[in-house]
Amino acid sequence: MNIEDFRKYCLSVKGSTESISLQKRNVLVCKVMGKVFVYILLEPEDGVFKAYLKCDPERSVELREKYNGINPDDFKTLLWNWVTIESDVPDKLIEELIRHSADEVIRKLPKKKQEEYRLNNG
């Protein structure tokens, strides 16, 4: 999967929007219900594109052990992972992780916002 396909897949998530980060101009953010579910570096780092995806902590441990292209966030938490776009991570898994990241964000919204999301994006 290349960076443009990655971006397009992020935008296929129902209700998603994109914008340039206000803090870092070389970062594209994708949001659902106003909350970020992916940060995409627009300039390659060490020759590769990376994205920052939210993840269930237990799953993060498993993924980091299995794939070289999935690494801890800068703070070494289990809530977010750096995913190298063109790496040993299969495209289908990347798509699943994008959906999972959006689902994690939606799941943490107040119940009223979750219902609003479902009604608008059914």
Side-chain angles (χ1 to χ4, degrees), residues 79-96:
L79 297 175
W80 291 85
N81 290 314
W82 281 112
V83 177
T84 304
I85 306 296
E86 296 182 63
S87 66
D88 64 333
V89 184
D91 291 354
K92 287 295 179 195
L93 178 58
I94 290 174
E95 291 173 357
E96 180 187 328

Side-chain angles (χ1 to χ4, degrees), residues 10-68:
C10 289
L11 293 175
S12 76
V13 171
K14 291 183 180 188
S16 66
T17 60
E18 69 177 349
S19 61
I20 298 296
S21 170
L22 297 176
Q23 287 79 28
K24 294 187 175 189
R25 295 284 180 210
N26 65 337
V27 176
L28 183 72
V29 294
C30 293
K31 300 178 181 182
V32 288
M33 298 297 292
K35 301 290 185 183
V36 176
F37 70 95
V38 65
Y39 296 87
I40 305 168
L41 298 182
L42 295 176
E43 296 172 10
E45 186 176 282
D46 299 324
V48 294
F49 285 101
K50 294 182 179 180
Y52 199 46
L53 295 164
K54 192 164 189 132
C55 191
D56 173 80
E58 288 181 21
R59 191 162 186 210
S60 283
V61 171
E62 172 191 323
L63 291 167
R64 291 173 188 177
E65 289 174 355
K66 189 170 183 178
Y67 298 99
N68 291 327

